[in-house]
Amino acid sequence: MDGDKIVGGESTGGAGGREIRIVTPLTDEVIESLHAGDRLLITGIVYTGRDAAHKRLIALVDEGEPLPIDVRGQIIYFVGPTPAKPGEVIGSAGPTTSGRMDAYSPKLLDLGLKGMIGKGSRNEAVKEALKRNKAVYLGATGGAGALLSRRIIASKVVAYEDLGPEAIRELEVKDFPVVVINDMYGGDLYVEGRKKYERKVGP
Amino acid sequence: MRELDVARVTEAVATLAVEACTYLGDDLMAFFQKAAEREESETGKDILAQLLENAKLARDTNMPLCQDTGLAVVFLEIGQDVHLVGGDLEAAVNEGVRRGYTDGYLRKSAVADPIGARVNTGDNTPAMLHTRIVPGDKVRVIVAPKGGGAENMSAIGMLKPSQGRQGAIDFIVDTVAKAGPNPCPPIIVGVGLGGTFEKAAYMAKHSLLREVGSTNPDPRLAELEDEIERRCNALGIGPAGLGGITTVIDVFVEELPAHIASMPVAVNVQCHSARHKEVVL
C-alpha cells in the first residue's frame, strides 16, 4: 500500500508494508506514527553498541555518572563491524542478536533512548520500556553485513576504543533500511509474521 | 613417509579463513535463488533477494558477508602416512588464524576469561581445532568460521531411550522453534544422534560441512532429515524471522551407536552465512 505522509518523515510507498523515511534524532511524534511492519529508511546519526559497551554504560548509570554519549532521542545499533580496509568507511556491518542487550536496554530507554536496531526477539521488560518511553525496536537483515555497510557514509569511534569491535561508534547513515519489529503500542512483527505462516503438520 | 611442513598448514588456514568469510558457496547462492521464487511471504522473498545480493557483493568486493566472522573452527584430517615437520601443528594452525583474521580484515571475536573479564584475545585465536587421523598421505584442511548468534541457539539433550524417534524429532523442532528469529534464519540444522555427550555435539557440528541439497546416503536418515525439515518449515518463522515458509535451508544428520542407557541428541544451529572452505595438501 502507498504510505501516508507522516510528521518528521516522508513516505516513499513501495510493495509490502509502508516505506517511510525518517531522520534522527527521533521525536515522540515520529515514534507515535510508527507501527510493527513499517519499513524505514533512516538518515542521520546512529550510535553503535553491543555487549561490552552496554555493560559499561549501565555501570555508569547505576553509579549516577554521566554517559560518554547523550542517548536522548537517539538510536543505538547493535553491531560490531569488521575492520575497515584502507579506503573503506567501515567493514561488514550487520546487526547482532539483540536479546543479549535485554538486561541493559530498559535503563537506556528510561534515559530517553528512542530506538534500537538489531535482530531477534526482545523480552517483556524491553517491550514494556518501549511503551512507557515511546520508543521502537527496529530489525535490520541479519547476515547482510556487506550490503548494509553501503548505507553507512561515515564512522568514528566516540568511546571505549579499547573494546575494538565493541567500541561505541558514531555512524552517519543514509537510507539505512530497517523494519519496525516492536512499536510503542505493543505490536510485534515476529509474533504476527510467524502466526500468519504457521501450519499444522502431522508427525 | 611423506613429509609436510606445518608452514603449509598455516598458509592454508589463513587463506581459507578469508575465502570462507567472503565467498559464499554456490550451493547456498542457488538455494537463495530458488527459495525466493517459492517463498509465499513478500517480505520473505525480499529478505532472500537481499541475502543473494549481499553474497554477490561480498564476492565482488572481498568484504565479509557478515560482520560476525566467527570463531575459527578448523578440521584437520591427517593421513597416517604423513610426517608433519617444521614445528608444533597446533601452533601452526593458530598462526594461520592470526594471519587470516588480521591481514584479511576479519573481526576478532574471541574473548578470554569467558565468565569474567572477557578480554579480546586480539587475533581471534585459539582455533577450535578438531583433528582426525585417516588413511593416506594427504592432509585435508577445512576452515568453518562459526558466528555466535546461531551457535547460541544450539542445544544438546540427553534424552531417555523411551522417548524414541518422535522424542528426538520433537527436541530438534523445539530447539528451532525457540531460536525463532535470533539465529538469522533460514538456518541449517546440524544434528548429532547417539554416541556420548561430546561426540553428539561434534557430529552436529561436523554435519554442517555437507553440501546444501545433498541427500544422506542412509535412506533411514534421509527420511528423518526430510521429516524434520517439513516440521521446521511449518513453524512459520521464515526469512529473518519475519514470517514465511522458508525457515530451514537443510537438515543434516550424523549418527553413532549410543550407550544402552542413553539417547543423546545434539542440535547445532547454523545461520544462512554457512561458511566453510577446504583444501587438500
Side-chain angles (χ1 to χ4, degrees):
Chain A
M1 75 194 118
D2 285 324
D4 331 73
K5 286 263 182 195
I6 65 152
V7 181
E10 177 200 342
S11 170
T12 60
R18 299 189 301 168
E19 191 170 79
I20 302 163
R21 289 202 143 87
I22 62 166
V23 174
T24 63
L26 302 179
T27 61
D28 281 355
E29 266 183 313
V30 171
I31 301 291
E32 284 163 7
S33 72
L34 301 179
H35 293 88
D38 288 346
R39 292 181 300 136
L40 311 183
L41 294 172
I42 303 171
T43 295
I45 298 296
V46 303
Y47 291 97
T48 74
R50 44 170 296 153
D51 307 58
H54 273 78
K55 194 174 174 188
R56 289 192 187 176
L57 291 177
I58 296 306
L60 291 175
V61 173
D62 290 346
E63 287 159 19
E65 297 288 326
L67 301 183
I69 53 168
D70 184 354
V71 298
R72 285 174 299 177
Q74 301 299 335
I75 295 177
I76 292 184
Y77 180 18
F78 304 143
V79 57
T82 59
K85 286 180 197 155
E88 284 177 355
V89 169
I90 197 166
S92 193
T96 193
T97 314
S98 311
R100 294 192 315 275
M101 269 54 78
D102 284 353
Y104 309 118
S105 293
K107 283 187 179 173
L108 295 177
L109 292 165
D110 288 343
L111 286 176
L113 182 72
K114 281 293 178 195
M116 296 164 289
I117 305 172
K119 56 130 176 150
S121 308
R122 310 308 304 268
N123 69 9
E124 285 309 316
V126 173
K127 292 178 202 170
E128 280 307 314
L130 294 178
K131 291 187 207 167
R132 180 167 75 233
N133 295 295
K134 293 194 176 176
V136 284
Y137 170 53
L138 310 167
T141 303
L147 206 54
L148 289 168
S149 75
R150 293 283 167 120
R151 307 296 178 95
I152 299 169
I153 56 177
S155 163
K156 66 174 180 204
V157 173
V158 290
Y160 309 148
E161 186 149 25
D162 61 298
L163 292 178
E166 297 204 64
I168 296 182
R169 286 177 167 75
E170 186 184 287
L171 304 183
E172 190 182 343
V173 299
K174 188 164 185 340
D175 291 339
F176 191 88
V178 296
V179 56
V180 179
I181 304 291
N182 296 109
D183 58 32
M184 58 170 270
Y185 306 106
D188 188 328
L189 184 61
Y190 288 139
V191 174
E192 292 156 22
R194 186 164 166 175
K195 213 178 281 168
K196 206 163 146 192
Y197 292 94
E198 200 172 8
R199 264 153 228 192
K200 282 254 170 284
V201 275
Chain B
M1 194 174 216
R2 184 184 169 220
E3 285 198 347
L4 183 75
D5 197 310
V6 295
R8 293 201 46 209
V9 176
T10 297
E11 215 175 283
V13 168
T15 309
L16 293 171
V18 177
E19 199 184 318
C21 288
T22 50
Y23 203 91
L24 194 67
D26 291 334
D27 53 347
L28 276 149
M29 303 282 272
F31 173 84
F32 291 153
Q33 183 94 52
K34 205 172 65 184
E37 285 162 21
R38 66 177 177 220
E39 173 58 53
E40 292 171 14
S41 150
E42 284 303 318
T43 310
K45 275 182 191 290
D46 182 47
I47 298 285
L48 291 162
Q50 282 178 41
L51 297 181
L52 188 60
E53 197 187 338
N54 182 64
K56 284 180 182 162
L57 183 65
R59 280 183 173 195
D60 292 348
T61 61
N62 289 318
M63 182 180 272
L65 286 159
C66 176
Q67 75 292 336
D68 187 353
T69 50
L71 285 187
V73 181
V74 178
F75 297 88
L76 290 182
E77 292 172 12
I78 304 165
Q80 62 193 41
D81 298 328
V82 180
H83 180 206
L84 292 162
V85 297
D88 177 340
L89 176 65
E90 222 169 293
V93 170
N94 283 327
E95 181 56 25
V97 170
R98 189 172 293 123
R99 275 191 217 165
Y101 277 75
T102 306
D103 302 345
Y105 293 88
L106 305 181
R107 196 180 78 185
K108 290 75 172 169
S109 308
V111 288
D113 186 9
I115 65 164
R118 295 182 66 83
V119 179
N120 200 302
T121 65
D123 56 13
N124 219 45
T125 63
M128 300 294 123
L129 178 60
H130 304 285
T131 52
R132 240 179 87 206
I133 306 294
V134 298
D137 65 352
K138 303 271 193 281
V139 175
R140 186 174 173 211
V141 184
I142 306 168
V143 179
K146 189 68 167 73
E151 194 75 352
N152 286 345
M153 297 295 113
S154 304
I156 186 160
M158 301 304 285
L159 306 186
K160 293 184 177 72
S162 63
Q163 290 176 262
R165 185 176 186 274
Q166 204 50 54
I169 294 173
D170 288 345
F171 177 77
I172 296 159
V173 176
D174 193 45
T175 300
V176 174
K178 277 186 191 147
N182 294 6
C184 286
I187 57 171
I188 299 177
V189 185
V191 178
L193 299 177
T196 44
F197 179 77
E198 87 288 1
K199 276 285 187 188
Y202 170 82
M203 288 189 290
K205 170 76 81 229
H206 186 265
S207 76
L208 298 173
L209 301 174
R210 240 174 77 188
E211 191 183 335
V212 168
S214 62
T215 305
N216 197 310
D218 181 333
R220 184 174 50 86
L221 295 182
E223 195 186 319
L224 179 66
E225 289 172 356
D226 285 348
E227 188 172 336
I228 296 166
E229 188 174 323
R230 272 200 307 278
R231 290 226 7 224
C232 289
N233 282 333
L235 292 169
I237 296 167
L242 300 176
I245 63 166
T246 317
T247 298
V248 157
I249 295 169
D250 218 332
V251 179
F252 300 141
V253 178
E254 291 190 14
E255 184 193 61
L256 269 178
H259 189 280
I260 49 173
S262 307
M263 199 177 88
V265 179
V267 184
N268 198 192
V269 178
Q270 171 66 61
C271 63
H272 54 70
S273 279
R275 299 157 291 188
H276 53 90
K277 291 284 180 241
E278 63 176 87
V279 69
V280 177
L281 301 175

